[in-house]
Amino acid sequence: MSTPRPELRIGDRERDLVASVLQDALAEGRITLEELDARLDGTLAARTYADLDALVADLPVEPPSSALTSPRAGVDARLSTAPGTSPDDPLVLDAGWSSATRSGRWDVPPFLLLNGALGTVKLDCLEATPLAPVVDVEISGGMGHITIVLPDDWAANADRVTNAWGMSSVKVGSRPGAGAPLLLLHGSVGWGWLTVRHANRFDRRRVEKRALGRDERPGLTR
């Protein structure tokens, strides 16, 4: 164990590591979903190692001030430059009067903003790679339709989404599988419509066709 330095300032890498520890604690039944929400808020607000130490003091892990010495697997230099690395710079999908879609193979950053406006937004995560164990998703429904499609082991919590005059349908669980992320949704549906679901038959066929197309390209093998 390295010498604890609780007074040192932290960055996004350290916050992401603690978020991973907290998600594991939820999956193990050590904390409740409400406790996870509160502690994730504390993780985002943390400024020093001492702040992080307090969030995991009752869990069977080393204090972050002495244990956080290497990045979590899967989180690399992409997080330092790509949109979505902080609440102040989320990855934005804005439908405007038309549509906005993210699908295929792509990296899901820790922070997203989905704006339905007067169109449609589709966030297809079936072939995506999460860069953090918890993904903060702000919903701004407007009068549009926002659809989020998740793999079977991914989860979402929409307790902080208000409906106003719109409608929301969340058909996925709130506890992710081992190693899978949790999407924490907040914001307002407005006059629009929010759907969070797993893949249907059409989605699965489309993924299979994309995979087949990649396999058939010259120079590519299974």
Side-chain angles (χ1 to χ4, degrees):
M1 180 185 297
S2 58
T3 302
R5 295 291 305 277
E7 77 281 3
L8 293 180
R9 303 281 289 191
I10 59 167
D12 290 336
R13 179 176 71 86
E14 290 80 13
R15 295 184 186 94
D16 183 73
L17 282 162
V18 169
S20 180
V21 169
L22 293 173
Q23 186 191 23
D24 288 344
L26 174 68
E28 294 166 359
R30 299 183 188 275
I31 60 176
T32 66
L33 186 58
E34 291 74 19
E35 289 173 318
L36 174 66
D37 286 346
R39 296 189 192 202
L40 287 176
D41 287 343
T43 301
L44 292 174
R47 293 292 178 266
T48 67
Y49 279 104
D51 296 331
L52 295 181
D53 286 351
L55 296 171
V56 297
D58 58 349
L59 299 177
V61 297
E62 290 185 71
S65 57
S66 60
L68 294 179
T69 58
S70 60
R72 184 177 63 85
V75 179
D76 53 28
R78 289 171 293 180
L79 281 178
S80 65
T81 57
T85 61
S86 75
D88 297 326
D89 183 28
L91 174 63
V92 178
L93 270 69
D94 189 344
W97 290 75
S98 182
S99 64
T101 301
R102 185 60 64 96
S103 63
R105 293 180 174 178
W106 64 289
D107 294 331
V108 182
F111 299 95
L112 299 169
L113 168 59
L114 308 183
N115 184 8
L118 294 171
T120 61
V121 171
K122 185 169 185 180
L123 192 73
D124 183 342
C125 299
L126 297 180
E127 298 178 274
T129 299
L131 297 182
V134 178
V135 180
D136 180 279
V137 184
E138 181 177 353
I139 300 295
S140 179
M143 298 180 68
H145 188 177
I146 297 174
T147 300
I148 302 174
V149 184
L150 302 179
D152 291 343
D153 55 347
W154 291 31
N157 180 281
D159 290 347
R160 296 181 179 180
V161 175
T162 59
N163 286 336
W165 293 94
M167 297 180 62
S168 61
S169 174
V170 180
K171 300 179 180 179
V172 304
S174 59
R175 289 198 173 188
L182 171 67
L183 274 64
L184 289 179
L185 279 58
H186 59 94
S188 175
V189 174
W191 291 73
W193 188 2
L194 169 67
T195 301
V196 185
R197 60 175 176 81
H198 292 307
N200 56 31
R201 183 178 301 179
F202 178 77
D203 296 320
R204 297 183 191 280
R205 286 175 61 88
R206 185 172 53 217
V207 170
E208 290 170 0
K209 287 184 67 175
R210 282 200 294 257
L212 181 61
R214 286 192 291 264
D215 290 341
E216 290 179 345
R217 291 175 191 168
L220 294 181
T221 59
R222 291 181 181 273

